[in-house]
């Protein structure tokens, strides 16, 4: 199994970003029996932030309603298997290995095959061969040219929060990014758009509106067509499709932004009719949905029990804004200082990420992202001046996560550590916690 995974992981190094639909990918799907045309009903989700959480809420609500659910998400945090959920269960090695071997054999003569194409073809093949009521399908980098966008007839599409990420491939302006994400909108298929926080959001929404109009797709937008209101410490309400769902429980997932993700999940489920979800299933899903690595509280082997350790996958500006708000809320509730440990991939916009966070923490420790040798990670030392320019105090570097945590524990009174900056770092941190 590991040899197979090592091979597909090596495809990440082929120098081509995984967000183009090539003729060779259609050839691969054809050799596999065109599984993308034999799927259960599909809800397709694109966006910059919140895709995984939105899918987690939909999955929990659908399963609470008695529906069987497949899901395809990325990236994985600890094991590749996490990407493919069959009927509510992460695919096991016994099913995954022959599946990957079959897909690789079918793609053997394609020198430009990519990691994401192989993973997506494997997911489609598994979903087509295993009965379920619905598929929750997450895009990879973009939307318009994403390998998942070969699905031509979803029952609904959703677009989550837009932000500045992967700009080298999607464009430097939010309108460019919106155009790529809106590429999943299909003729006559309802599209639901979630919360937006960037100043450039109005122009981006106009791009989505233009695409929806061209596709004659019913478009509903948070804040315009459906609304979150009456938010308290214990409940919130949602008005969608002419119906008000009152006194909904706060999501189990941490962070005020998860109400927005949950609202998008509900609004999207309300936009389709093939898998009805009653109100009791919505309540159950809100209480039980979980998405690891997003404001996730853990026990870490390097941290004394007196320290509170969290891990978050925030790695762009909107993720940093959400994280900064959560840090402020935590401090308001208990007065404990926050210490940030940050590692960032080299292609991420460090300045946009740093600006919202620089003055939130008592200290900032910068580390390389594990496994990102060879220049793929931002050099921590080069980011120190940027943090200081934005007002951060007590900025330092450490060689790795364990050293960073140990140094904090030795030099500060017990407080809160939040590890963030990269989903790869989040996965590494969770793996250390899981296997300690």
């Amino acid at each position: 199994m590991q040899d197979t995974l090592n091979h597909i992981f090596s495809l990440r190094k082929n120098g081509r970003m995984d967000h183009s639909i090539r003729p060779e990918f259609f050839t691969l799907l054809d050799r596999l029996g065109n599984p993308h045309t034999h799927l259960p009903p599909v809800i397709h989700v694109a966006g910059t932030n919140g895709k995984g959480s939105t899918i987690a809420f939909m999955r929990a609500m659908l399963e609470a309603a008695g529906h069987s659910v497949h899901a395809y998400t990325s990236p994985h945090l600890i094991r590749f298997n996490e990407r493919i959920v069959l009927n509510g269960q992460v695919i096991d090695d016994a099913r995954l290995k022959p599946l990957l071997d079959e897909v690789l054999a079918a793609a053997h003569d394609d020198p430009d095959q990519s990691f994401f194409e192989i993973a997506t073809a494997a997911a489609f093949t598994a979903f087509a061969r295993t009965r379920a009521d619905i598929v929750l399908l997450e895009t990879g980098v973009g939307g318009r040219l994403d390998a998942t966008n070969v699905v031509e007839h979803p029952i609904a599409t959703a677009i989550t929060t837009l932000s500045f990420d992967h700009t080298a491939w999607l464009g430097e302006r939010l309108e460019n990014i919106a155009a790529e994400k809106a590429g999943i909108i299909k003729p006559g298929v309802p599209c639901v758009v979630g919360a937006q926080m960037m100043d450039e959001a109005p122009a981006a929404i106009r791009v989505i509106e233009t695409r929806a109009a061209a596709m004659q797709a019913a478009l509903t937008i948070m804040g315009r067509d459906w609304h979150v209101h009456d938010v308290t410490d214990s409940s919130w309400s949602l008005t969608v499709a002419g119906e008000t769902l009152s006194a909904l429980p706060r999501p189990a997932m941490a962070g005020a932004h998860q109400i927005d993700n949950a609202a998008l999940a509900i609004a999207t489920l309300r936009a389709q009719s093939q898998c009805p979800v009653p109100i009791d299933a919505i309540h159950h899903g809100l209480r039980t949905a979980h998405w690891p690595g997003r404001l996730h509280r853990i026990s870490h082997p390097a941290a004394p029990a007196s320290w509170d350790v969290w891990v978050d996958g925030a790695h762009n500006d909107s993720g940093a804004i959400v994280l900064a708000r959560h840090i402020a809320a935590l401090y308001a509730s208990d007065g404990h200082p926050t210490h940030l440990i940050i590692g960032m991939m080299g292609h991420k916009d460090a300045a946009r990420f740093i600006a919202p966070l620089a003055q939130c923490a008592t200290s900032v420790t910068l580390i390389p992202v594990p496994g990102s040798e060879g220049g793929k990670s931002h050099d921590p030392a080069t980011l120190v001046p940027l943090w200081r320019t934005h007002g951060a105090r007590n900025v330092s570097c450490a060689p790795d996560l364990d050293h960073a945590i140990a140094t904090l524990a030795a030099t500060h009174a017990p407080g809160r550590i939040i590890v963030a900056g990269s989903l790869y770092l989040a996965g590494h941190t969770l793996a250390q916690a899981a296997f300690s």
Side-chain angles (χ1 to χ4, degrees):
M1 178 65 181
Q2 193 57 50
D3 288 345
T4 300
L5 289 174
N6 289 341
H7 175 64
I8 66 168
F9 289 147
S10 74
L11 300 178
R12 286 173 164 162
K13 302 174 183 177
N14 65 9
R16 185 175 57 78
M17 192 64 184
D18 292 344
H19 86 293
S20 60
I21 304 178
R22 303 177 303 124
E24 292 84 354
F25 185 56
F26 284 102
T27 299
L28 170 60
L29 293 174
D30 185 61
R31 290 173 179 172
L32 295 169
N34 290 308
H36 61 299
T37 66
H38 301 289
L39 301 177
V42 172
I43 294 178
H44 202 183
V45 182
T48 308
N49 291 83
K51 298 189 298 295
S53 296
T54 299
I55 285 178
F57 281 119
M58 286 196 286
R59 178 183 160 194
M61 293 170 189
L62 285 160
E63 289 177 344
H67 301 296
S68 54
V69 182
H70 295 333
Y72 179 56
T73 57
S74 60
H76 63 274
L77 293 180
I78 300 175
R79 301 175 66 219
F80 177 91
N81 308 51
E82 299 165 27
R83 295 170 177 258
I84 302 174
V85 171
L86 292 175
N87 282 334
Q89 299 296 320
V90 172
I91 191 169
D92 59 28
D93 287 351
R95 296 190 71 173
L96 180 60
K97 185 184 187 309
L99 182 65
L100 291 175
D101 288 341
E102 178 184 357
V103 174
L104 288 167
H108 69 93
D109 58 350
D110 179 5
D112 294 321
Q113 61 191 270
S114 74
F115 171 88
F116 193 69
E117 287 172 335
I118 297 301
T120 302
F124 286 161
T125 303
F127 296 160
R129 294 175 181 175
T130 308
R131 187 200 166 280
D133 295 322
I134 195 166
V135 174
L136 302 177
L137 181 64
E138 178 185 347
T139 62
V141 170
R144 180 176 65 92
L145 297 175
D146 192 82
T148 62
N149 206 30
V150 297
V151 175
E152 295 183 352
H153 304 290
I155 59 172
T157 61
I159 298 175
T160 67
T161 302
L162 300 176
S163 187
F164 294 93
D165 206 359
H166 302 292
T167 54
W169 299 277
L170 303 182
E172 297 287 342
R173 301 170 62 192
L174 202 65
E175 300 101 298
N176 302 134
I177 295 170
E180 294 298 323
K181 307 297 184 180
I184 69 167
I185 300 175
K186 299 297 189 300
V189 176
C191 176
V192 186
V193 179
Q196 304 300 321
M197 63 178 65
M198 298 291 101
D199 292 340
E200 301 88 344
I205 291 295
R206 287 194 292 272
V207 171
I208 297 172
E209 289 173 329
T210 298
R211 167 70 179 183
M215 294 291 102
Q216 296 184 319
L219 182 69
T220 55
I221 300 171
M222 182 176 179
R224 187 192 76 179
D225 307 299
W226 52 277
H227 306 269
V228 170
H229 51 93
D230 299 331
V231 178
T232 72
D233 289 341
S234 60
S235 67
W236 58 289
S237 298
L238 173 67
T239 298
V240 59
E243 177 186 11
T244 295
L245 309 180
S246 299
L248 295 168
R250 295 278 300 219
M253 286 191 272
H257 66 292
Q258 291 297 359
I259 290 179
D260 292 335
N261 292 330
L264 177 59
I266 297 167
T268 303
L269 292 175
R270 284 290 197 262
Q272 57 82 44
S273 58
Q274 295 203 33
C275 291
V277 178
I279 189 64
D280 61 332
I282 289 173
H283 279 246
H284 184 82
L286 289 168
R287 294 191 181 102
T288 60
H290 174 63
W291 194 235
R294 281 71 173 179
L295 292 176
H296 188 164
R297 194 173 184 178
I298 63 170
S299 296
H300 192 278
S306 55
W307 282 78
D308 189 21
V309 182
W310 296 65
V311 59
D312 188 62
H315 57 272
N316 54 35
D317 47 359
S318 62
I321 290 169
V322 165
L323 179 56
R325 290 172 181 170
H326 190 65
I327 291 171
L330 288 171
Y331 184 78
S333 69
D334 60 22
H336 294 166
T338 291
H339 301 270
L340 289 173
I341 298 177
I342 302 292
M344 296 192 71
M345 297 300 289
H347 64 278
K348 298 299 181 181
D349 189 329
R352 285 186 183 273
F353 176 80
I354 290 168
L357 287 169
Q359 299 183 48
C360 290
T362 298
S363 74
V364 179
T365 306
L366 306 177
I367 63 172
V369 177
S372 63
E373 297 81 4
K376 291 185 178 180
S377 175
H378 272 297
D379 179 353
T382 65
L383 295 183
V384 171
L386 196 55
W387 280 90
R388 289 176 176 162
T389 296
H390 283 89
R393 47 199 176 91
N394 196 11
V395 184
S396 62
C397 299
D400 55 46
L401 180 60
D402 285 353
H403 280 86
I405 294 176
T407 300
L408 286 172
T411 57
H412 292 82
R416 179 179 298 109
I417 292 171
I418 299 181
V419 182
S422 165
L423 283 168
Y424 295 102
L425 177 58
H428 172 80
T429 308
L430 290 176
Q432 287 185 321
F435 299 118
S436 63

